[in-house]
Amino acid sequence: MQVPECFVCACGFSCLYMKEKDMEFHIDSCPVYSAYSDFMKYIERKDIQNANEDQLRTMKAEAKVYISRLDMMLMIYSQQQQPILQKAPSQTVQCEKCKKQFEANQDFDKVWYLENCTHIICKDCMLKICKDDFLPKKSNVTCVCGEKFKDQEIKQILGKELYEQLTEKLNLSLQNIIECYNCKERFCFQKGNIEEKIQDQNGKLVQGEQLKHYIENRFKCSKCHTEQCKNCMSVPYHTNMTCEEYKINKAAVKCRLCDQPTEIQKNQPEALQTICQQQDCQNRSKNLCTIKLKCGHFCQGLKNTPCLPCLNEKCAKDQNEDDYCNICFTEALKSQTCVQTTCGHIFHEDCLRQKLDAKWNGPRIVFNYMKCPLCNKFLDIQVPHFKNSIEQGQILLKEVQELCLQRLKLEEKEKDKELLDPTHQFFKKPLDYAMHIYCYYLCFKCKKPYFGGLKNCQQAADQDPKVEFKQEDLVCTKCCPLLTLEDKCNKHGVDYIDFKCRHCCSIALWWCHGTTHYCDPCHRNIKTNMTKPCPGPAKCPLGIPHKPNGEEMSLGCSLCRAERLKAK
């Protein structure tokens, strides 16, 4: 088929296609052509006489886009030397941003022909560029070549509603007014202090361009406390990165554990291919589960143990991978291997192990280390190497509970008002009451729990910064160095051994902090530098030789002493 050379109208007029001006003049003035041309009918329906400037500019842009598409088709036909009425062979165009290929004669609705630079960008990329760059670049959105998009192009891509929203945010930003991304609260932005020392999540000091960006763009909402970036509106603020660096970082392949850019290690199992080469991450990955869950995400638990629920934010219900571990409060759950307790809460495996190994802080035995930090239930973890620590803790708990009940009975406190008052929290709860009022300590020598006084005495010691705690001072009565002839009673054992008050020449009634014996007056007036000198053998109330006041000393078995006095 020959390529047609002439334009022929239904009215009989004809001219060469090369004479475009003659053809345009005839189409504009011929009523016959307007009657059968769908395109001319569409144009004449547009009431351009009454259109406003915005509508006219929009229609002009639409016409230019349509013309550019026609030019593209004519170019294709010209290159293939085929008749205009014959279907052109498939030709592809490439998006300058994502490099995706499109059919030139079928995908007109999927690509955008830029007016200023004539580059082609797919509409998905155009939308992303306009949304991401509108605020940071103050509406000066550009092509990959650096050429600015026309304002009308941005408006068409974003749509009227989104364009107006971004324009309003930009205007607020130019007036130094910030709108919180989370709660929509507005307030005036104030720059940070350039002298302030800022550290990122890895403890690295923020300096140079990154510090300047932090001072000028980071803010924390005064209402909901959400930390964000004024420029790119990212949440939380990208500490130690500018917006451009954050954008590049966000697009890069990230390490599963530390979130830093890395390269894919194809020689590793799929679950470990995105673990970076930092020593910490490599060490942590050794015990990391490599199973892919049904949802397509990888398990964050220990290998060779039952898999955890998915922690990815798209799947997680309660805790997700970006939540802090509620034991260390310094790293997200995804930064380490995790374990789940039977109560359903998830923590770093290493943090939970350290918590159980460290047991309690201070001298007094407390069992909070055996409780879940989130629900306060006693821990139960179905992982073999936690079983021994939990069993040891349960054995110690049972021993202390039995000793508390024995002490409550020995001191005849079973009828205390706290146990008899129906309105009291300890009503008919003798075990809870005994655990509440008594202090028990772990003997440094025999590793057995022993009575160490009332809890309020220990609280007083805890509040005194001058009272120092030494594990060596925690010695039970059975292991105490008993220094008199009556130190070990063959009849009554060591359970009724008396001690002198450490600070004066009296028999001690109080055994406090797990380390110190007091008489009643000294106990009521505990303070520093309270030791009194002994008045001498003739006037000493004890009537026996003893060590200098300020040191612990046994007086022997009180029952035997009472029997001797009675016999006299």
Side-chain angles (χ1 to χ4, degrees), residues 40 105 188 192 210 343 367 379-380 386 402 412 511 521 552:
M40 291 303 294
N105 58 344
C188 184
Q210 289 77 16
C343 58
F367 293 96
L379 289 170
D380 184 13
F386 284 106
E402 290 175 354
E412 298 181 350
W511 172 230
E552 288 291 319

Side-chain angles (χ1 to χ4, degrees), residues 503-515:
H503 301 285
C504 71
C505 303
S506 302
I507 295 176
L509 299 177
W510 297 90
W511 172 230
C512 299
H513 328 315
T515 62

